[in-house]
Amino acid sequence: MKALHIHAGPRALQHLERQGLQPGDVRVIPAAAGGPKGLVLGPLDRFIFGDWLLQAGPGAQPVHLVGASIGAWRMATACLGDAKQGFERLEHDYIHQHYDLPPGRRRPAPAHVSERFGQSLAAFYAGRVDEVLHHPRYRLHVVASRGRGLLRREHALATPLGYLAAFATNAVHRRAMGAWLERVVFSSPDGPGRPDGCTPLPFRADDYRTRQVPLCAANFMPALQASCSIPFVLQAVHDIPGAPRGAYWDGGITDYHMHLRYGASVRVAIQNVADSAQPSSASGRFDLETVRHADGLVLYPHFQRHVVPGWLDKRLPWRHRATPALDAMVLLAPNPEWVKTLPNAKLPDRNDFMQYGADTAARARVWQAAVRASQQLADEWAAWLHRPDLGVVQPL
């Protein structure tokens, strides 16, 4: 394998050793924020959602798709009936986005970016929102960040001060940032079984201040745009229908790479067994290995090895380590040496907007070349699934 690295948490590795990896084993797929970096995951997305997961057949367990920013856009696209074509269009629209630069400025105005981006999302999902919300197997969770205190409304002076305070408190303790920003998860409906109508979260949310809001036709577009609204690059989205009033920004601020407590869902499965099933032996004890297997795995196509909790943690390397929350995760990431073979020897990123300026065609050519090269990631993953080699699986 030249391009792809596979990493696994300890419980995921045990699963691979015992029984390999089948489409029906996957219970959660996270999708990170990261802007243009997510473009290199397009071929993997097309293979995973357009081919491999379909092999689980009808009646397979639901799969929870959890995304922020471009990750939310990717996971919402996965819920379209023609996911392959959807990912191709996402790739095209993202690569060819263009914004007008004011005279003498190197950056477009946030209001202009928000307007253009909102138009793009509206065109992309026109007439198809119900298709996304009511997918027969996938349960969508869109993550956004809601401002509190100085950040409760976007303001020319208060917003920079609020983010400065958020940065300072986050440096002390991640949970303390909850005084300024909270995680809001917009979740697709789950029928009449839940009082709030939301699909239950596939992770435990007591690690950070969190709210869950039902995702519906009325708030789908503003929630998705909010999840993609990078502070100072786009405008905040205010007062999303069905959600607490306030300013909503990019979900990557609170959850950059979806470092969530997925392993805690095992406890939910254990409780469900305890409530409804018979003991698995005469001793009256439950078979916890069976429960853990039923809980499934987290499959994470990512653009790097590290799973960074929040956007403000990027320069805090002590928060980049794996934790027990990721024990059930299989992470797919580009080999750093392979990345050096891409144009400019790096993944596409937001700095390319500045580097290429108004030369949209040049930037598009570079990004398209990176996406074409990333087909190798999907090809190597498909080959590994056909003939698994645990010798290439590295610890997460």
Side-chain angles (χ1 to χ4, degrees):
M1 300 179 71
K2 305 294 185 181
L4 183 69
H5 278 178
I6 304 173
H7 304 272
R11 187 161 71 84
L13 185 58
Q14 290 176 3
H15 181 107
L16 297 179
E17 290 171 342
R18 288 197 308 266
Q19 60 204 68
L21 180 62
Q22 303 300 321
D25 297 334
V26 177
R27 295 294 177 269
V28 185
I29 298 181
K37 295 184 182 74
L39 289 171
V40 299
L41 303 175
L44 274 170
D45 286 339
R46 289 194 288 274
F47 171 73
I48 290 170
F49 291 102
D51 293 308
W52 186 63
L53 283 179
L54 300 181
Q55 297 172 22
Q61 291 280 0
V63 180
H64 294 267
L65 312 182
V66 188
S69 199
I70 191 175
W73 191 359
R74 288 171 49 219
M75 294 301 96
T77 301
C79 295
L80 296 172
D82 51 352
K84 273 189 176 181
Q85 290 83 355
F87 283 119
E88 288 171 357
R89 180 175 174 184
L90 186 159
E91 180 181 298
H92 176 275
D93 289 0
Y94 199 99
I95 287 175
H96 291 92
Q97 60 185 305
H98 171 73
Y99 304 102
D100 300 326
L101 295 177
R105 299 285 299 275
R106 297 187 65 195
R107 294 176 180 271
H112 172 63
V113 179
S114 289
E115 180 183 15
R116 284 276 182 90
F117 184 69
Q119 292 169 348
S120 178
L121 285 182
F124 191 93
Y125 292 105
R128 307 191 70 178
V129 173
D130 283 346
E131 188 179 337
V132 174
L133 297 179
H134 301 288
H135 192 279
R137 188 178 179 200
Y138 302 149
R139 307 293 183 262
L140 178 64
H141 304 270
V142 174
V143 181
S145 304
R146 175 177 175 262
R148 306 181 69 235
L150 289 173
L151 295 176
R152 68 186 180 276
R153 291 279 161 183
E154 191 168 28
H155 185 272
L157 180 60
T159 298
L161 290 175
Y163 273 105
L164 181 62
F167 178 84
T169 53
N170 180 72
V172 176
H173 197 286
R174 172 166 157 76
R175 190 188 290 267
M177 191 177 67
W180 306 102
L181 291 154
E182 65 181 4
R183 172 197 295 143
V184 180
V185 186
F186 294 85
S187 299
S188 60
D190 195 35
R194 293 261 297 178
D196 58 4
C198 287
T199 295
L201 293 174
F203 54 87
R204 206 173 80 190
D206 58 353
D207 62 320
Y208 186 79
R209 185 182 180 95
T210 302
R211 295 176 186 260
Q212 188 180 23
V213 174
L215 190 62
C216 63
N219 63 23
F220 175 82
M221 289 297 184
L224 187 56
Q225 176 148 352
S227 184
C228 298
S229 292
I230 304 166
F232 312 113
V233 177
L234 286 84
Q235 290 180 318
V237 177
H238 287 83
D239 303 334
I240 298 176
R245 291 175 60 83
Y248 289 78
W249 278 281
D250 197 303
I253 302 170
T254 56
D255 294 283
Y256 190 40
H257 292 166
M258 304 291 115
H259 193 132
L260 302 168
R261 298 189 181 189
Y262 304 104
S265 59
V266 174
R267 299 186 184 92
V268 176
I270 292 172
Q271 187 61 50
N272 289 341
V273 171
D275 290 343
S276 62
Q278 295 299 315
S280 60
S281 69
S283 67
R285 299 181 66 182
F286 292 100
D287 183 354
L288 298 189
E289 283 303 313
T290 299
V291 173
R292 289 189 177 95
H293 168 63
D295 200 43
L297 298 178
V298 180
L299 178 65
Y300 192 3
H302 194 17
F303 46 76
Q304 65 177 47
R305 173 181 181 175
H306 300 292
V307 184
V308 181
W311 188 74
L312 298 177
D313 298 320
K314 289 193 296 182
R315 290 179 172 80
L316 306 179
W318 57 90
R319 294 189 187 168
H320 297 185
R321 297 188 295 269
T323 69
L326 310 183
D327 281 357
M329 179 175 286
V330 177
L331 183 144
L332 314 177
N335 178 349
E337 293 303 314
W338 173 83
V339 170
K340 294 177 182 178
T341 69
L342 297 179
N344 299 322
K346 67 178 183 64
L347 299 174
D349 61 40
R350 286 199 300 117
N351 292 328
D352 293 337
F353 284 109
M354 300 285 288
Q355 178 179 344
Y356 292 98
D359 194 351
T360 303
R363 174 178 54 78
R365 284 194 297 271
V366 168
W367 286 6
Q368 285 174 321
V371 171
R372 284 195 298 270
S374 65
Q375 180 62 43
Q376 189 175 353
L377 300 172
D379 292 343
E380 290 186 2
W381 175 235
W384 188 91
L385 289 170
H386 179 69
R387 185 172 294 179
D389 177 6
L390 292 179
V392 303
V393 179
Q394 305 176 45
L396 182 61

